[in-house]
Amino acid sequence: MPTCTTRKVIRKIPVKDMINFLPIDDVKKVDHFIYTLKIENQGNRAKVSQEIGNPYLSRSKTVWMKREEDFEANLSGEEGTTEETKSSWFKRIKKGILTSTAEKKETPEGLWTKCPSCNYICTVTELRENLFVCPKDGHHHRIGSDEYFEILFNDNKYDILFENIRSKDFLHFTDLKSYQKRLEETWNKTDITDSIRIAAGQVREHHMVIGCMDFEFIGGSLGSVMGERIARAVDYCLQHRTPLIIICKSGGARMMESAFSLMQLAKVSAKLSQLTDARIPYISLLTDPSFGGISASFGMLGDLNIAEPGALIGFAGPRVIRETIKKDLPEGFQRSEFLLEHGFLDFIVNRKELKHKIATVLALLKN
């Protein structure tokens, strides 16, 4: 059964043709026709005319094709034939512009970055100069150990400790791929040997040991190597009477090491108690994200527990908690501001003030 569309046109002055006012699939059907009723005002008398036809085969299609040709002519630097294309806002002045593939330049990757919080776009250089803090809303971007060491140590001078300790696949664990293959791929992609790096150097006038986790290495997960490096860092601090800072950024225990990973919770907690007995400060800096076994053990055992603004800190993730209790969570749940309000943190420090705050706290503790 043929379909029919009725169109009424009432006009006092000439108007442009209505082009493709129907969905193109309907217009192309040969059994579709248009019934057009035109009413024009001529000396206070109405002139009525009617038209029946298929617009896909009518003058409208011809006009559209003509305009398309004129537009392409403008792009190639030629003049169109209609008044509309002659007065177009865009005209190519120079004809025949051809650029060889070899001469085309691609924008290098890594020049620009977008803030995940406010979508502000800036250059990586600008973000680095601002210590990877968004210039617009102050969002703290995730950074690795190299960036933290550069921020904290004087003149970016420090000594890396215990890099010879490497992870091994004692259990021959395999999920989508073997644990050993996963380790080798990560070592090849990055210069990081494990999920934490230990460094010693000067922070203002204080000699310090800083352990910083790298989320890039299997999600900053806690494994036997992390536990051993922290334990040796504690021994170094005891020997040199040096304060210890651990910058936490982890998703929790490393499942590929099973019980070996879980044993590190007790091992590190016991070693940190030796610092307490020796009256040597230990500061825990929680950054985004700090979850699982980290927050359940040494992440919350500092003489001072501090955090960056907006850091996500907890044991289980908010989605898991919401599905378990079947209730909506409070606004800002598990963010550092929420934890500070409920007594889990001592204070929140902006990354730009981190070095100054730590030096001030250590000076107060010494005196």
Side-chain angles (χ1 to χ4, degrees):
M1 171 131 186
T3 57
C4 175
T5 300
T6 302
R7 179 177 63 179
K8 294 184 179 180
V9 182
I10 302 177
R11 61 183 184 180
K12 295 183 179 180
I13 58 174
V15 296
K16 295 181 180 179
D17 295 283
M18 183 181 292
I19 308 300
N20 284 352
F21 60 91
L22 290 174
I24 192 66
D25 291 335
D26 289 338
V27 173
K28 285 184 176 181
K29 292 178 181 177
V30 294
D31 63 346
H32 185 92
F33 66 93
I34 289 287
Y35 175 76
T36 303
L37 184 65
K38 296 183 181 180
I39 304 175
E40 295 179 334
N41 185 3
Q42 294 184 350
N44 294 326
R45 295 183 64 184
K47 180 183 178 182
V48 180
S49 60
Q50 57 186 13
E51 178 182 333
I52 298 177
N54 189 328
Y56 190 72
L57 304 176
S58 67
R59 177 177 172 275
S60 299
K61 177 63 179 177
T62 307
V63 172
W64 167 251
M65 293 174 63
K66 186 62 178 173
R67 288 181 180 179
E68 202 171 44
E69 290 172 2
D70 288 343
F71 180 72
E72 291 178 357
N74 272 348
L75 289 181
S76 63
E78 301 172 1
E79 283 289 339
T81 56
T82 64
E83 290 297 326
E84 183 180 353
T85 53
K86 287 181 180 179
S87 60
S88 176
W89 61 271
F90 173 80
K91 287 185 181 180
R92 188 185 296 277
I93 299 174
K94 188 176 179 181
K95 299 181 180 180
I97 298 178
L98 298 174
T99 305
S100 65
T101 305
E103 294 176 348
K104 291 181 179 178
K105 296 181 180 179
E106 298 290 340
T107 305
E109 293 184 3
L111 291 181
W112 298 88
T113 184
K114 184 168 72 170
C115 175
S117 174
C118 67
N119 294 328
Y120 176 77
I121 298 175
C122 66
T123 62
V124 174
T125 303
E126 179 186 355
L127 191 64
R128 180 179 290 274
E129 290 173 353
N130 211 41
L131 302 184
F132 297 93
V133 177
C134 177
K136 186 176 180 181
D137 71 344
H139 173 77
H140 284 51
H141 290 246
R142 294 180 182 178
I143 56 177
S145 56
D146 283 333
E147 290 78 15
Y148 276 112
F149 292 159
E150 184 179 353
I151 291 170
L152 291 172
F153 287 119
N154 297 346
D155 302 321
N156 199 23
K157 294 180 180 178
Y158 52 89
D159 298 318
I160 297 292
L161 308 175
F162 319 124
E163 283 291 288
N164 58 317
I165 309 173
R166 297 289 188 98
S167 297
K168 288 187 177 180
D169 186 10
F170 292 107
L171 302 176
H172 305 291
F173 187 93
T174 302
D175 45 85
L176 296 177
K177 61 182 75 172
S178 69
Y179 178 39
Q180 185 62 39
K181 185 176 181 181
R182 196 181 295 276
L183 287 171
E184 290 172 357
E185 287 179 355
T186 308
W187 288 330
N188 292 332
K189 288 179 184 177
T190 67
D191 297 330
I192 305 167
T193 55
D194 209 86
S195 51
I196 192 170
R197 297 173 74 203
I198 309 294
Q202 291 292 127
V203 178
R204 296 285 173 89
E205 66 275 15
H206 308 284
H207 184 67
M208 294 193 64
V209 174
I210 300 176
C212 183
M213 300 178 191
D214 281 290
F215 199 79
E216 190 178 359
F217 193 96
I218 315 182
S221 51
L222 170 63
S224 55
V225 170
M226 180 186 288
E228 182 61 23
R229 287 186 179 181
I230 295 176
R232 296 196 186 188
V234 171
D235 291 336
Y236 181 96
C237 293
L238 291 170
Q239 182 182 351
H240 297 86
R241 302 291 302 175
T242 303
L244 173 66
I245 294 179
I246 296 181
I247 302 173
C248 301
K249 187 189 298 287
S250 174
R254 190 175 299 173
M255 68 172 186
M256 290 79 87
E257 295 191 16
S258 187
F260 289 105
S261 173
L262 297 177
M263 288 167 60
Q264 308 310 311
L265 306 180
K267 175 181 177 179
V268 173
S269 299
K271 292 298 291 186
L272 291 175
S273 67
Q274 295 179 1
L275 288 180
T276 304
D277 296 338
R279 301 178 67 84
I280 296 174
Y282 160 54
I283 299 174
S284 174
L285 172 61
L286 301 162
T287 66
D288 182 47
S290 296
F291 272 91
I294 301 298
S295 61
S297 60
F298 58 86
M300 290 292 184
L301 293 179
D303 298 307
L304 283 174
N305 296 325
I306 63 179
E308 289 184 339
L312 196 60
I313 305 165
F315 182 74
R319 179 181 58 82
V320 175
I321 297 174
R322 189 186 304 110
E323 292 177 356
T324 302
I325 66 175
K326 307 299 181 184
K327 292 182 180 179
D328 291 331
L329 302 175
E331 186 177 354
F333 181 71
Q334 289 188 326
R335 294 292 176 182
S336 53
E337 292 79 8
F338 186 89
L339 270 67
L340 177 65
E341 183 181 344
H342 290 78
F344 281 86
L345 299 175
D346 293 292
F347 60 85
I348 295 173
V349 56
N350 191 291
R351 194 175 290 164
K352 297 178 182 179
E353 303 172 357
L354 181 60
K355 185 175 182 177
H356 171 71
K357 281 284 182 73
I358 288 176
T360 303
V361 164
L362 291 177
L364 293 171
L365 292 174
K366 277 187 176 181
N367 295 329

